Amino acid sequence: MKKWLSLLLLSLLTIVLVACTANEETESKDSEEKPAENADTESTDEEKVLYLNNANEPTSFDPSIGFDSVSWDPLNNLMEGLVRLDKNLEPKEAMAEKYEISEDGLTYTFTLRDAEWTNGDPVTAGDFVYGWLHMLNPETASYSAFLGTGYIEGAQAYNEGTGDASGVAIKAIDEKTFEVKLISPFDGFLAMITLPTFFPVNEKVATATPDWFANADTFVGNGPFKLDTWSHEEKMTFVKNDTYWDKDSVKLDRVEWAMVNDTNTSYQMYQTGELDVTGIPSNLADTLLDDPEAIVYDMAGTHFYRFNVTKEPFTNKKIRQAFSYAINAQEIVDYVVKTGNKVADGFVAYGFKGPDGKDFRETQGSLIGFDADKAKQLLEEGMAEEGWDTLPAVELSYNTSDVLKSVAETMQSQLKQVLGVDVSIQNSEWAVFREEQVALNLQFSRSTFGHDYADPINALENFTSDNDAMNRTGWKNPQFDELIKKARAEVDAQTRWNYLLDAEKILIEDAPLVPLYFYNGSVLQKSNVTDIVRPAVGSIELKYADKK
């Protein structure tokens, strides 16, 4: 096994962060679920209730579809895979009581413990086979299928329609034994399969009720909590799952989730006791970050904007580069976001150490930065190449949020000041926004990437030509694709690292995106709330949370 990647995983998984993939802001809307007089009094000797904000309606609680933080954060606490991150952020046995790895590092054999679904059915190896094949099935249109296709033998052929399910190297040897064979050794595999993408699905329930995941009365889970109520677009209630195999580790009796997509409203709810945790409004960050209840943590992720290379003017590489150099990310970090983020001078975030012990970003160096003169020159050259006297209209899109609105308006002003370009801006709610972005209907759109597993390839593989669900730019580069393919198969650590460094250079040079800043997280959390785990690579963990 590659010791460098094991060290990488251990170093990353000792940092307490929020992941994933996606909506990094704690966003809000009006909420009426609890009166202010309940502040800090709801958690009594009889019942411990944690009040959180999920920002938006989950995209889906189908583990294969809901590939964003507003889906994965709650889902991670309703369901469980073969392994789960523990308090120290290491993957430990969960639904699997034990596992064995073959000497060549290719075959993983998991022995399942006695565990139940919330409807009383036993959790079986067949449920894992069903769930994983559902994720890989091309008809599912899973956003996260690429996580399996890159590593599991036969998965890519099945997902691309050139093979069938029988060729995927996963099988239930018996009801309690699940086996998977990889294409090549991958030390990060156990960490990767802690993700909701790799959760089991109750085959009997899913067959009888295909939309089992859509409502509380049909949802069946196997995690620390049960989905008790779900008022769509408004709130969710989780209750402790008394049939969970490790129920003694679960301290909370109930979790109430609001869905509020404005941080100022969320902060007001925190002040009145309607929330135990809130994001920090950027306009108050200067003072609130010094609050004793403030928690600031790094995140393995990147805030960026995608260019749609199929829509003018971004069909031209130099024009894409011009826009990239015209955006002053340092100004956005210092005066708009104001939570101490690092400016992104590449796409891969900090925190990934190579075989030489150096961070990926340290080795790579800066690939992009603000340069007004270069931006103007590139715009002029690009317009000349296209024969344009006037630049085609540009619309910048973002999903509804007070912070994202401020970022978009700042970018609009910078592009006008540096390039003399008039850019219009428009927003839409998250679910609609993502659908439009995936369909390549947006021209220049806001995005975010939070690492799913602890390896730089996870960020870069989003932009391969065959990954339409995650690429969302229309960009295709055969040389880039080949480097990612080689990196997936390479067993020599340094050679593999070099492939990834070269791939990032191509990505930034060809400019299907412009990175803005690397994430950190900042929240206010009531002092009587403890042990909420926010991993660098993964979803929020409430299994160990407590409220005094």
Side-chain angles (χ1 to χ4, degrees):
M1 306 295 268
K2 302 186 285 294
K3 292 184 179 179
W4 67 270
L5 189 47
S6 296
L7 292 172
L8 178 155
L9 285 164
L10 289 172
S11 64
L12 277 175
L13 295 174
T14 54
I15 305 170
V16 180
L17 316 161
V18 171
C20 203
T21 236
N23 262 7
E24 75 285 1
E25 304 78 27
T26 307
E27 304 162 346
S28 31
K29 73 179 176 189
D30 274 347
S31 178
E32 304 171 357
E33 45 270 38
K34 218 167 312 308
E37 60 264 29
N38 285 344
D40 298 325
T41 62
E42 288 288 345
S43 188
T44 68
D45 290 340
E46 291 75 35
E47 189 174 39
K48 294 184 177 183
V49 185
L50 182 66
Y51 299 107
L52 298 179
N53 178 27
N54 196 51
N56 289 298
E57 169 80 1
T59 305
S60 177
F61 276 167
D62 177 342
S64 296
I65 299 297
F67 192 53
D68 50 34
S69 64
V70 294
S71 302
W72 276 15
D73 278 347
L75 193 58
N76 187 55
N77 296 283
L78 293 171
M79 300 184 74
E80 181 167 277
L82 295 162
V83 288
R84 188 180 191 93
L85 296 181
D86 67 3
K87 278 187 177 182
N88 298 316
L89 301 177
E90 296 181 7
K92 296 294 184 181
E93 294 86 349
M95 285 294 102
E97 191 172 40
K98 62 181 180 179
Y99 61 86
E100 295 179 356
I101 306 173
S102 62
E103 197 170 319
D104 61 7
L106 296 178
T107 303
Y108 288 67
T109 305
F110 298 88
T111 302
L112 273 60
R113 68 178 72 250
D114 291 331
E116 293 183 0
W117 293 99
T118 49
N119 69 347
D121 291 343
V123 178
T124 69
D127 293 328
F128 279 94
V129 173
Y130 183 86
W132 289 27
L133 288 179
H134 172 66
M135 175 260 291
L136 294 169
N137 189 332
E139 294 184 4
T140 302
S142 169
Y143 288 109
S144 52
F146 72 96
L147 294 169
T149 58
Y151 300 99
I152 300 171
E153 185 178 296
Q156 184 166 356
Y158 177 47
N159 184 251
E160 291 178 345
T162 58
D164 56 33
S166 63
V168 181
I170 57 176
K171 63 181 177 180
I173 295 175
D174 55 43
E175 282 203 348
K176 293 295 182 182
T177 311
F178 175 78
E179 181 184 275
V180 55
K181 186 174 182 181
L182 306 186
I183 299 168
S184 59
F186 176 40
D187 282 359
F189 183 67
L190 289 176
M192 186 175 76
I193 63 172
T194 65
L195 300 172
T197 291
F198 297 96
F199 286 168
V201 172
N202 186 313
E203 181 175 4
K204 185 174 74 174
V205 169
T207 302
T209 309
D211 61 348
W212 63 273
F213 51 83
N215 293 288
D217 58 354
T218 54
F219 186 87
V220 177
N222 65 326
F225 296 92
K226 296 192 296 185
L227 180 59
D228 188 50
T229 66
W230 185 359
S231 300
H232 293 283
E233 306 288 348
E234 294 180 7
K235 61 182 178 179
M236 298 178 290
T237 301
F238 294 2
V239 296
K240 181 177 178 178
N241 181 6
D242 288 330
T243 63
Y244 178 57
W245 70 273
D246 194 23
K247 64 181 180 180
D248 291 343
S249 295
V250 181
K251 307 296 191 301
L252 298 173
D253 296 296
R254 199 166 86 239
V255 182
E256 298 280 357
W257 298 81
M259 298 179 196
V260 182
N261 67 2
D262 178 82
T263 50
N264 287 290
T265 304
S266 176
Y267 174 59
Q268 291 167 9
M269 293 171 68
Y270 180 83
Q271 289 180 300
T272 60
E274 295 170 89
L275 290 176
D276 290 317
V277 181
T278 180
I280 297 177
S282 58
N283 60 317
L284 299 175
D286 292 341
T287 55
L288 291 181
L289 286 175
D290 294 325
D291 191 290
E293 294 184 336
I295 298 174
V296 179
Y297 45 89
D298 290 328
M299 294 174 67
T302 308
H303 188 148
F304 65 104
Y305 266 73
R306 301 179 196 257
F307 296 110
N308 185 340
V309 304
T310 70
K311 290 183 179 291
E312 294 180 347
F314 301 122
T315 49
N316 185 279
K317 173 181 170 180
K318 288 184 177 178
I319 291 175
R320 298 195 300 269
Q321 292 174 327
F323 273 62
S324 299
Y325 282 109
I327 295 170
N328 189 335
Q330 191 67 59
E331 184 177 277
I332 292 171
V333 164
D334 291 343
Y335 303 111
V336 181
V337 183
K338 298 189 291 187
T339 53
N341 302 78
K342 293 178 180 178
V343 168
D345 53 2
F347 189 69
V348 176
Y350 286 92
F352 300 95
K353 294 191 184 300
D356 60 358
K358 291 184 178 180
D359 192 279
F360 186 94
R361 285 262 55 82
E362 179 186 358
T363 300
Q364 184 73 283
S366 179
L367 298 178
I368 189 69
F370 175 64
D371 189 329
D373 291 337
K374 191 169 187 177
K376 292 173 184 175
Q377 179 184 343
L378 285 165
L379 180 64
E380 183 178 337
E381 292 175 1
M383 290 181 67
E385 287 178 358
E386 301 294 337
W388 292 334
D389 293 324
T390 304
L391 193 72
V394 174
E395 183 176 73
L396 180 154
S397 304
Y398 66 95
N399 57 288
T400 305
S401 154
D402 55 322
V403 175
L404 298 183
K405 180 176 185 290
S406 298
V407 171
E409 289 173 344
T410 302
M411 290 172 60
Q412 180 188 45
S413 174
Q414 291 176 344
L415 292 167
K416 176 65 174 177
Q417 181 179 352
V418 175
L419 299 178
V421 173
D422 290 312
V423 174
S424 63
I425 59 177
Q426 67 92 24
N427 69 291
S428 55
E429 294 302 317
W430 169 244
V432 174
F433 176 85
R434 186 176 79 160
E435 205 172 286
E436 289 290 287
Q437 190 180 68
V438 172
L440 293 182
N441 292 331
L442 304 182
Q443 185 186 25
F444 181 30
S445 59
R446 175 263 175 187
S447 213
T448 176
F449 175 75
H451 277 262
D452 307 302
Y453 58 92
D455 194 304
I457 197 173
N458 181 219
L460 298 170
E461 66 187 355
N462 286 288
F463 297 95
T464 55
S465 299
D466 59 355
N467 195 356
D468 294 338
M470 292 302 295
N471 189 313
R472 308 182 197 178
T473 65
W475 179 71
K476 300 179 187 298
N477 185 298
Q479 187 181 359
F480 178 87
D481 292 346
E482 183 63 21
L483 287 167
I484 298 301
K485 182 179 179 181
K486 286 181 176 179
R488 284 173 171 164
E490 182 58 57
V491 295
D492 179 75
Q494 188 59 58
T495 301
R496 179 181 184 276
W497 206 249
N498 291 340
Y499 287 149
L500 298 178
L501 289 164
D502 289 344
E504 190 194 39
K505 289 175 185 175
I506 292 172
L507 181 67
I508 299 301
E509 167 66 20
D510 242 19
L513 58 86
V514 52
L516 295 185
Y517 54 84
F518 298 124
Y519 282 127
N520 63 12
S522 59
V523 297
L524 294 174
Q525 180 173 299
K526 298 293 186 181
S527 58
N528 63 335
V529 174
T530 61
D531 294 325
I532 295 177
V533 180
R534 300 176 172 93
V537 181
S539 303
I540 191 171
E541 178 64 77
L542 303 177
K543 175 177 175 176
Y544 311 103
D546 200 358
K547 186 174 177 181
K548 306 299 185 183

